[in-house]
């Protein structure tokens, strides 16, 4: 019989012990998977799913569907499979079902090689009617507004489209999403050169909700200041332009804003 | 007389000498084949002109003195292959820990979200390498002179910071000071376009008189395009302002493209013709055949004393200063003024020739094996000490606050005294730019005229602008698509756990950014639809 080699110690068995221990350390929650997906790491999320054991099956199925949508290479066949799974989940009216309906709409809005905006809008409408308070329904209403403004065949004409979106506004009750929709509405009015006063009111309402950061915040502040200047509301224009300068010292537009303030001073004889 | 052992056994003696020499070398001079430091970081960039590599090397040397466990290797990649190199290395999973990247790099819009790791948390905390310096205790982000404005503009996820920037700069007219004195009789640089044209005329006269090869401007296609970008941007400000329907005090390429397709501007417009006329005028100060030459050729021409000026970015300043056998002065390129006899009627006011925003951004490879060490190295690189070392050895102005600007570099900074509308009508998209470059001979060739150039561009632009607008739309969608999975994950995670305020804010910012990007892409789609419906322009 061969003897134990000299220098034997337990460390020689560490790899084997590790193998025995690993399954026992598998996750029993999907938190790690969601974090990886939130970090745009779908490959790692798929791997994490394989070590997750006792998560809620509906939540797990949702995570699997999201991984299907997020991983490359993405094909229409894979998206169809994702939609089938999402529709199965959407049969129940819980938060997983709401998320599934929302994502199914997004597949048709953006992910398939040929978008079908009418189908996407159908998903968002169904979700908003079924679970209006769900965060997914609220977000779906914002996406429905975008489709209505720009791509759905009806209503026709810019004014009618804007009116249809205005009608959706009371249904969007979550403040950050309401703010985003107000900005979209205001900019659509500017884009179509319709009702600049109402565009200004939309942006002011969005600013009152707050919470914007970075370039989005700078742009909205500057837009309000400039639109107020154009409308002759110099007091408010000055307030917003000065706020822009205070919050964005290194922005290359500071010089232009300074010129605007000078123009106002000349116009009114005050600054 | 008996012979000594060396004469008797010369072969053995030679062998013994070689052996002793080898022993001496091994114990005193050689380095181990393998690295004796357990952690190796790699940092890659394309700034391989003179200056930055030396600056980074000096910082690395100091960092390695402070951190005996770490080896840092600088990977220098030529700009011409950088995009392909980046794509291949990240796809293959062998990319360095830290890489330079820019949001303007064509075809790499997916990179930050896919491959880079945000450093937001670290940026909100003080940089430990600033202890005992004027920046001690300041959050890292507050130590950058512009608080990383570029990241606020271009981050794929609003509120998240993916890069730290090293430097800032501008575009300048570099001048051979001694030659200027000889030609103009003074070292006082020209301050207006009128004075500059006078110097051009004297230079031409001197070349004719002496028969020596001499031109006012070092010539190459690159330098000509930079000039074009500069003057066209300045002369189009009034038109750009008229296109700013959204009131954001600026125009993006998509606005310029839309306006063109709607017929709001043409190449026959007086502002555009004025810009083309300036370029034609400047091109005549360059040597014949400059369109076939690259920027290195222009640098060589300037360094050999065959050109009085070279117009370039401050990224070339170190190369020029270190290689020139004469004094190189960095001047602000004189701008067209309202009293200019050629283009004055199109001038609205001074325009920006550089701003104080920082650049030369370094990003963190999210799959790099040494994240903590990589962040620590970036902290040192952008610390007060690291920035001083970098600036002193590179000749580039630091992007870090309180770091003294050496007197010879002060001229590289612009005081923010000009309009900046982003109004580059000629370069509003890659296809339009290509059309312009392809036909440049129509303007600056021997038979070239402003009218023929405008006419050719008018013929080619509709297709080019449509193609560019489609790219804008695709780019907006590329940013939007991966955000769906992220929003779904964050949203569900928040609904099922106590994810906290940070996660909620992250979700709200992602949703807001996605909605605005989508709105933009859909608007562009409508513009394209309208253009298609209107038929060929």
């Amino acid at each position: 019989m061969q003897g134990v080699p000299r220098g034997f110690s337990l460390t020689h068995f560490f790899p084997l012990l590790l193998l025995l221990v690993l399954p026992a350390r598998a996750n029993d929650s999907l938190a790690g998977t969601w974090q990886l997906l939130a970090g745009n790491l779908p490959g790692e999320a798929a791997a994490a799913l394989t070590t997750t054991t006792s998560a809620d099956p509906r939540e797990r199925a949702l995570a699997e569907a999201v991984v299907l949508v997020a991983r490359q290479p993405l094909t229409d066949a894979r998206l169809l499979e994702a939609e089938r799974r999402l529709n199965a989940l959407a049969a129940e009216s819980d938060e997983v079902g709401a998320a599934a309906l929302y994502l199914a709409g997004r597949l048709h809005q953006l992910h398939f090689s040929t978008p079908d905006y009418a189908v996407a809008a159908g998903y968002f409408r169904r979700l908003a009617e079924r679970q209006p308070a769900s965060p997914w329904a609220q977000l779906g209403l914002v996406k429905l507004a975008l489709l209505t403004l720009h791509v759905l065949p009806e209503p026709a004409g810019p004014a009618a489209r804007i009116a249809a979106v205005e009608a959706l506004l009371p249904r969007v009750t979550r403040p950050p999403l309401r703010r985003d929709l107000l900005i979209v509405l205001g900019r659509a009015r500017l884009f179509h050169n319709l009702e600049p006063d109402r565009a200004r009111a939309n942006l002011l309402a969005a600013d009152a909700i707050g919470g914007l950061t970075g370039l989005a915040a700078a742009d909205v502040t500057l837009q309000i200041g400039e639109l107020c200047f154009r409308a002759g509301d110099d007091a408010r224009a000055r307030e917003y332009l000065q706020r822009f300068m205070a919050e964005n010292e290194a922005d290359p537009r500071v010089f232009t804003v300074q010129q605007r303030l000078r123009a106002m001073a000349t116009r009114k004889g005050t600054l | 007389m008996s012979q000594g052992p060396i004469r008797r056994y010369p072969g053995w003696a030679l062998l013994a000498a070689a052996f002793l020499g080898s022993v001496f070398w091994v114990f005193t001079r050689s380095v181990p084949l393998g690295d004796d430091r357990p952690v190796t970081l790699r940092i890659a960039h394309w700034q391989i002109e003179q200056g930055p590599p030396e600056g980074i090397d000096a910082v690395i040397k100091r960092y390695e003195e402070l951190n005996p466990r770490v080896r840092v290797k600088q990977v220098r990649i030529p700009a011409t292959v950088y995009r392909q190199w980046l794509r291949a290395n990240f796809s293959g999973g062998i990319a360095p820990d830290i890489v330079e990247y820019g949001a303007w790099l064509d075809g790499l819009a997916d990179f930050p979200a896919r491959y880079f790791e945000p450093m937001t948390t670290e940026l909100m905390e003080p940089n430990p390498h600033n202890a005992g310096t004027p920046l001690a205790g300041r959050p890292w982000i507050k130590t950058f002179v512009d608080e990383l404005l570029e990241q606020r503009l271009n981050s794929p996820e609003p509120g998240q910071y993916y890069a730290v920037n090293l430097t800032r700069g501008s575009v300048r007219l570099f001048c051979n000071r001694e030659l200027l004195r000889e030609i103009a009789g003074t070292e006082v640089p020209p301050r207006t376009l009128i004075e500059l044209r006078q110097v051009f005329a004297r230079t031409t006269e001197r070349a004719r008189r002496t028969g020596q090869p001499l031109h006012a401007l070092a010539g190459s296609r690159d330098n000509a395009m930079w000039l074009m970008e500069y003057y066209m941007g300045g002369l189009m400000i009034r038109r750009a302002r008229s296109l700013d329907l959204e009131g954001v005090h600026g125009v993006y390429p998509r606005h310029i493209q839309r306006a063109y397709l709607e017929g709001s501007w043409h190449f026959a417009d007086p502002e555009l013709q004025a810009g083309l006329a300036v370029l034609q005028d400047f091109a005549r100060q360059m040597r014949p055949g400059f369109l076939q030459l690259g920027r290195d050729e222009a640098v060589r021409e300037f360094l050999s004393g065959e050109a009085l000026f070279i117009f370039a970015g401050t990224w070339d300043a170190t190369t020029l200063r270190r290689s020139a056998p004469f004094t190189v002065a960095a001047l602000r390129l004189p701008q067209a003024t309202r009293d200019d006899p050629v283009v004055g009627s199109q001038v609205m006011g001074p325009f920006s020739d550089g701003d104080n925003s920082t650049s030369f951004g370094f990003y963190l490879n999210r799959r790099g094996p040494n994240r903590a060490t990589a962040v620590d190295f970036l902290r040192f690189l952008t610390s007060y000490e690291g920035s001083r070392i970098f600036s002193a050895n590179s000749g580039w102005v630091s992007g870090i606050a309180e770091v003294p600007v050496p007197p010879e570099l002060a001229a590289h900074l612009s005081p923010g005294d000009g309009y900046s509308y982003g109004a580059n009508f000629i370069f509003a998209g890659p296809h339009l730019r290509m059309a312009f470059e392809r036909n440049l001979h129509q303007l600056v060739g021997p038979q070239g005229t402003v009218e023929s150039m405008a006419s050719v561009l008018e013929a080619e632009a509709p297709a080019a602008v449509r193609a560019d607008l489609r790219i804008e739309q695709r780019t907006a969608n590329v940013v939007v698509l991966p955000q769906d999975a992220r929003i779904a994950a964050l949203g569900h995670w928040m609904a099922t756990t106590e994810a906290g305020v940070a996660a909620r804010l992250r979700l709200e910012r992602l949703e807001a950014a996605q909605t605005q990007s989508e709105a933009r892409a859909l608007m562009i789609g409508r513009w394209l639809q309208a253009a298609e419906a209107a038929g060929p322009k």
Side-chain angles (χ1 to χ4, degrees):
Chain A
M1 192 182 90
Q2 247 184 324
V4 175
R6 277 197 339 185
F8 163 80
S9 78
L10 207 57
T11 56
H12 287 84
F13 289 99
F14 270 2
L16 192 60
L17 289 172
L18 205 61
L19 281 176
L20 293 171
V21 167
L22 268 179
R25 294 186 61 195
N27 286 324
D28 57 359
S29 110
L30 285 168
T33 304
W34 292 122
Q35 284 182 52
L36 288 165
L37 280 167
N40 203 30
L41 292 167
E44 285 82 347
L49 266 177
T50 62
T51 64
T52 308
T53 50
S54 57
D56 169 62
R58 282 177 58 72
E59 190 187 353
R60 185 188 176 89
L62 180 66
E64 285 169 352
V66 174
V67 166
L68 262 186
V69 176
R71 285 192 82 176
Q72 296 291 330
L74 199 56
T75 61
D76 278 0
R78 191 197 277 184
L79 290 174
L80 279 171
E81 170 60 16
E83 187 184 12
R84 189 190 62 74
R85 294 188 191 191
L86 290 170
N87 273 322
L89 288 170
E92 280 186 42
S93 300
D94 57 1
E95 278 309 298
V96 170
L101 264 183
Y102 170 77
L103 282 169
R106 294 293 287 171
L107 294 186
H108 283 282
Q109 185 185 346
L110 271 181
H111 294 258
F112 278 111
S113 53
T114 307
D116 190 332
Y117 299 122
V119 173
Y123 275 115
F124 297 142
R125 284 195 192 102
R126 189 175 139 204
L127 174 56
E129 280 156 21
R130 193 176 84 178
Q131 295 165 261
S134 159
W136 299 111
Q138 295 277 299
L139 188 55
L141 280 170
V142 175
K143 306 302 181 189
L144 178 61
L146 287 175
L147 296 175
T148 307
L149 273 176
H150 297 293
V151 288
L152 290 177
E154 294 293 331
R161 286 173 185 272
I162 287 172
V165 170
E166 193 101 59
L168 287 176
L169 200 51
R171 297 168 68 187
V172 181
T173 53
R174 289 173 70 90
L177 296 176
R178 189 176 168 79
R179 174 200 64 206
D180 297 344
L181 184 51
L182 283 162
I183 295 172
V184 166
L185 247 180
R187 289 186 177 157
R189 287 194 154 105
L190 294 173
F191 168 67
H192 291 295
N193 205 13
L194 288 170
E195 308 167 302
D197 288 347
R198 297 191 72 177
R200 191 158 43 104
N202 289 151
L203 293 174
L204 278 164
D207 179 61
I209 293 171
L212 285 174
T213 56
L215 182 62
D219 277 356
V220 167
T221 307
L222 195 45
Q223 273 184 302
I224 294 173
E226 178 64 19
L227 294 177
C228 289
F229 171 81
R230 291 178 190 175
D233 182 357
D234 281 9
R236 190 171 267 169
R238 197 174 299 120
E239 175 195 338
Y240 275 87
L241 294 178
Q242 284 172 343
R243 189 173 116 193
F244 171 84
M245 296 219 301
E247 291 171 357
N248 302 278
E249 282 176 20
D251 194 299
R253 295 173 290 185
V254 162
F255 179 82
T256 317
V257 173
Q258 284 169 341
Q259 301 310 306
R260 256 304 175 248
L261 287 167
R262 280 205 190 120
M264 268 192 289
T266 310
R267 188 157 78 178
K268 295 282 182 188
T270 57
L271 182 60
Chain B
M1 196 174 84
S2 66
Q3 286 182 316
I6 294 177
R7 289 194 174 180
R8 204 181 306 164
Y9 306 109
W12 285 109
L14 192 63
L15 190 63
F19 176 75
L20 289 172
S22 303
V23 167
F24 174 77
W25 186 267
V26 165
F27 283 98
T28 60
R29 301 286 176 88
S30 68
V31 291
L33 287 175
D35 207 317
D36 55 343
R37 298 180 180 226
V39 178
T40 299
L41 281 183
R42 288 186 302 142
I43 174 169
H45 63 90
W46 71 78
Q47 311 293 348
I48 60 174
E49 53 271 81
Q50 284 190 45
E54 293 88 335
I56 292 175
D57 268 343
V59 177
I60 287 173
K61 189 177 171 207
R62 176 67 181 139
Y63 186 76
E64 288 182 346
E65 281 171 13
L66 297 170
N67 297 274
R69 296 181 65 256
V70 183
R71 171 82 62 216
V72 185
K73 293 184 175 172
Q74 184 177 187
V75 185
R76 307 168 195 194
I77 309 295
T80 46
V81 297
Y82 194 79
R83 287 185 304 141
Q84 297 86 329
W85 178 87
L86 209 58
R87 177 70 71 188
N89 276 264
F90 274 94
S91 303
I94 52 169
D97 303 85
I98 300 164
V99 295
E100 184 185 8
Y101 168 85
W104 65 91
L105 291 170
D106 286 339
L108 300 180
D110 60 319
F111 256 63
R114 181 175 287 177
Y115 295 120
F116 299 147
E117 172 92 11
M119 290 180 273
T120 316
T121 309
E122 288 88 352
L123 279 159
M124 299 305 147
E125 297 161 357
N127 180 348
H129 292 291
N130 281 331
T133 75
L135 300 173
R138 269 195 218 183
W140 189 13
I141 191 165
K142 298 276 183 192
T143 65
F144 297 89
V145 290
D146 63 345
E147 298 182 18
L148 297 174
L149 173 72
E150 189 274 335
Q151 282 293 293
R152 292 173 65 197
L153 301 178
N154 295 317
S155 172
E157 188 179 333
Q160 294 287 342
Y161 292 83
Y162 280 75
V164 290
N165 294 346
L166 221 51
T167 187
R168 50 196 163 134
S170 58
V171 283
R172 286 292 179 265
L173 186 68
F174 293 95
C175 170
N176 178 336
R177 183 165 276 173
E178 288 82 353
L179 193 54
L180 177 67
R181 190 172 52 229
E182 283 177 33
I183 292 172
T186 174
E187 283 188 6
V188 178
R191 281 157 302 189
T192 65
L193 201 49
I194 299 168
E195 289 178 9
L196 186 61
R197 287 198 196 97
Q198 288 165 356
V199 176
F200 286 171
R202 288 186 180 196
T203 309
T204 308
E205 167 56 21
R206 179 191 164 93
R208 192 192 56 74
R209 191 164 24 86
T210 61
Q212 289 175 338
L214 177 64
H215 291 90
L217 287 168
S220 84
R221 171 176 286 259
D222 298 322
N223 298 73
M225 298 305 276
W226 294 332
L227 272 168
M228 181 78 221
E229 206 165 339
Y230 178 75
Y231 279 114
M232 193 59 88
L235 290 167
M236 295 302 289
I237 286 172
R238 188 178 290 142
R239 178 58 64 102
R241 195 165 68 171
S242 75
L243 300 183
D244 178 24
L245 302 178
E246 293 180 14
V248 291
H249 285 220
V251 288
Y252 291 97
R254 64 178 181 277
H255 297 126
I256 296 172
Q257 292 154 354
R258 173 199 181 190
Y260 181 77
L261 293 177
E262 289 180 347
S264 299
W265 65 274
H266 305 271
F267 290 93
D269 290 344
E271 308 97 303
L272 260 148
Q273 298 232 339
L276 294 174
V278 171
L279 181 65
Q280 189 183 46
D281 193 11
F282 275 57
R284 287 188 180 132
Q285 313 308 321
M286 296 180 179
R287 62 176 147 173
F290 72 87
L291 284 179
Q292 310 306 320
L293 305 175
R295 57 187 273 209
D296 291 345
E297 291 298 322
V299 168
R300 266 192 284 278
E301 186 187 2
F302 178 71
L303 293 177
S304 66
E306 293 178 0
L308 173 59
F309 301 114
I310 182 170
F311 182 67
T314 50
W315 55 84
D316 274 336
T318 308
T319 303
L320 299 175
R321 287 216 174 86
R322 289 186 183 167
S323 310
F326 46 80
T327 313
V328 176
L331 314 175
R332 299 185 78 177
L333 180 60
Q335 301 193 348
T337 43
R338 286 183 184 153
D339 58 349
D340 189 277
V342 183
V343 296
S345 60
Q346 307 308 326
V347 173
M348 186 170 120
F351 45 93
S352 171
D353 58 2
D355 51 52
N356 287 317
S357 57
T358 57
S359 56
F360 196 2
F362 281 112
Y363 291 69
L364 209 55
N365 178 356
R366 71 173 2 166
R367 291 184 177 85
N370 307 300
R371 187 188 188 281
T373 312
V375 171
D376 189 61
F377 177 71
L378 286 176
R379 280 175 168 151
F380 184 73
L381 184 61
T382 56
S383 66
Y384 187 79
E385 181 187 1
S387 293
R388 286 189 75 156
I389 294 171
F390 174 76
S391 191
N393 288 275
S394 66
W396 283 27
V397 178
S398 168
I400 302 301
E402 310 289 347
V403 173
V405 178
E408 70 274 17
L409 302 185
H412 291 194
L413 294 177
S414 293
D417 55 358
Y419 288 104
S420 173
Y421 259 90
N424 210 311
F425 283 56
I426 297 290
F427 301 146
H431 288 86
L432 189 57
R433 184 190 181 107
M434 275 190 285
F436 183 82
E437 291 189 10
R438 200 167 48 241
N439 293 297
L440 199 49
H441 63 279
Q442 301 273 1
L443 178 71
V444 301
Q447 315 300 326
T449 63
V450 168
E451 291 73 24
S452 64
M453 181 67 174
S455 158
V456 169
L457 287 176
E458 201 66 70
E460 292 195 17
V465 170
R466 280 195 185 97
D468 287 336
L469 208 41
R470 278 186 213 106
I471 290 178
E472 286 278 322
Q473 190 185 28
R474 268 203 304 276
T475 305
N477 278 332
V478 161
V479 174
V480 162
L481 272 178
Q483 289 174 348
D484 265 347
R486 304 177 77 179
I487 287 171
L490 269 172
H492 191 79
W493 186 34
M494 281 191 52
T496 52
T497 60
E498 293 296 321
V501 177
R504 182 176 58 75
L505 284 175
R506 203 174 153 201
L507 176 63
E508 287 175 11
R509 287 171 183 163
L510 260 178
E511 287 172 347
Q514 193 194 44
T515 295
Q516 301 311 329
S517 292
E518 268 180 270
R520 190 163 67 236
L522 290 169
M523 270 189 200
I524 293 173
R526 282 183 66 93
W527 299 338
L528 279 167
Q529 240 176 4
E532 300 299 336
K537 197 183 161 201

